[in-house]
Amino acid sequence: MAVNQDIRVGVCGAAGRMGKEVVKTILAEPGLQLVMAVDKAHVGEDTSLIAGRAEACGVLLEDNLEQAIQSKQPQVVVDFTAPAVVFENALTVLKAGVRSVIGTTGLSPQQIAQLESQAVKSDSAVLVAPNFAIGAVLLMKFSQEASRYFDHAEIIELHHNQKLDAPSGTALRTADLMKQEQARFGKTNVERSEEKEILLGARGGVSEANIHVHSVRLPGLVAHQEVIFGGIGQTLTIRHDSLDRTSFMPGVALAVRKIVNAQGLIHGLENLL
Ligand code: NAD
């Protein structure tokens, strides 16, 4: 009997905007097999049809993640749900000894540390990737590099107006990476005691890395980010635009393939490239 080597993949949040793209990707990619789909919406319906494909795939949407894992035995679960539920979902996946690929944003550093402990305990692996688009990963890398030479920078992130968390996970991660290169952001970038904010929030939020982050939410946008550096007589702007959710899919497929042989926590797609 031939042994099927396909990676058995489950999708949590499979009826959402990102989940539907992931479903289409898993169904189309060689070597990946969709075996499980979980969502609170469209329960009992065919996942492929919900994702907008003409052909049914036979995988029906279920609403209980734990039971679905037990019955469908995925090797990897991809999560694109919501900030309020992603932590519990990921714990459920890891406790079952299954590998977890997390695209949902909003996890706190403490929650990420807890997921790492659970992954180690379960001899499993978890990837937390605030952005699966290669261009956004490069934007973060270039911004980190530019931070060695500039000690003034602000971040503007722009997203569609259905997004639940602000600022975006990508903006927070970018700020953290920049801070790793430039210890002086705190002193020279934001400490202006004489500055008066006439309209509350006009200067944006100040990240843990002491970088101002501005969040724009408008219909028509997908996911965009600018990092603007300022120096004497010059500025440098690094910008990335995700114009369509398909921009995230090569990164998701790569993550699913690579996490099968990974251990523990991987934070950021760049660590799998
Ligand atoms: P969405 O609201 O369109 O979809 C979320 C889906 O999750 C919905 O279908 C909802 O019913 C389902 N859901 C909610 N609670 C659930 C639960 N407990 N169990 C199972 N399913 C549940 O949202 P979206 O636009 O697809 O975004 C999802 C997440 O992905 C957000 O956090 C967003 O910021 C993030 N995101 C990440 C990337 C990346 O590259 N990492 C890119 C885009 C979006």
Side-chain angles (χ1 to χ4, degrees):
M1 196 177 78
V3 179
N4 187 347
Q5 301 283 347
D6 286 357
I7 300 170
R8 298 170 59 81
V9 187
V11 180
C12 193
R17 283 172 292 245
M18 287 296 290
K20 286 189 228 179
E21 285 304 326
V22 175
V23 163
K24 286 190 269 187
T25 301
I26 305 297
L27 288 171
E29 284 278 325
L32 305 185
Q33 187 191 357
L34 183 75
V35 296
M36 182 197 91
V38 174
D39 206 294
K40 297 293 169 196
H42 297 286
V43 175
E45 296 184 50
D46 188 281
T47 312
S48 173
L49 298 179
I50 291 301
R53 293 173 94 242
E55 299 280 312
C57 68
V59 177
L60 305 185
L61 281 152
E62 304 176 61
D63 67 352
N64 186 312
L65 178 61
E66 197 175 353
Q67 284 173 12
I69 289 174
Q70 272 174 18
S71 62
K72 304 300 181 331
Q73 301 277 303
Q75 291 165 270
V76 180
V77 173
V78 181
D79 189 297
F80 280 99
T81 54
V85 300
V86 56
F87 179 66
E88 284 307 319
N89 285 347
L91 271 186
T92 303
V93 171
L94 292 172
K95 280 181 182 165
V98 175
R99 284 172 161 71
S100 171
V101 168
I102 302 177
T104 312
T105 49
L107 284 170
S108 69
Q110 293 75 14
Q111 288 176 322
I112 293 174
Q114 277 178 263
L115 293 181
E116 178 173 24
S117 306
Q118 186 59 54
V120 171
K121 209 163 139 189
S122 307
D123 199 21
S124 187
V126 55
L127 167 72
V128 178
N131 206 309
F132 280 99
I134 183 68
V137 171
L138 290 174
L139 171 142
M140 287 187 252
K141 193 176 158 71
F142 296 157
S143 299
Q144 187 175 5
E145 194 174 339
S147 299
R148 270 187 240 151
Y149 310 98
F150 287 89
D151 56 11
H152 292 65
E154 302 213 0
I155 298 174
I156 305 171
E157 57 93 346
L158 310 90
H159 280 81
H160 59 88
N161 63 346
Q162 311 275 307
K163 186 166 174 58
L164 294 179
D165 51 332
S168 69
T170 304
L172 288 174
R173 177 81 178 141
T174 309
D176 281 348
L177 291 170
M178 288 166 63
K179 184 70 175 179
Q180 287 173 23
E181 295 298 326
Q182 174 58 270
R184 288 173 295 160
F185 279 124
K187 291 207 179 71
T188 60
N189 211 42
V190 300
E191 283 184 8
R192 292 283 311 276
S193 55
E194 71 275 26
E195 183 179 60
K196 191 160 187 268
E197 206 176 46
I198 310 292
L199 185 63
L200 193 65
R203 294 285 293 117
V206 183
S207 76
E208 264 183 46
N210 276 331
I211 295 169
H212 285 238
V213 181
H214 310 266
S215 298
V216 178
R217 297 288 177 267
L218 285 171
L221 293 170
V222 179
H224 317 256
Q225 182 169 298
E226 270 185 23
V227 182
I228 308 176
F229 293 87
I232 297 169
Q234 62 181 319
T235 63
L236 168 68
T237 302
I238 305 175
R239 181 176 171 114
H240 175 257
D241 297 275
S242 270
L243 304 171
D244 189 281
R245 290 186 175 82
T246 50
S247 63
F248 304 112
M249 292 307 121
V252 172
L254 176 115
V256 168
R257 290 199 170 93
K258 293 238 172 157
I259 200 152
V260 176
N261 296 314
Q263 292 290 329
L265 169 74
I266 301 137
H267 196 180
L269 186 71
E270 62 276 18
N271 295 308
L272 278 187
L273 295 174

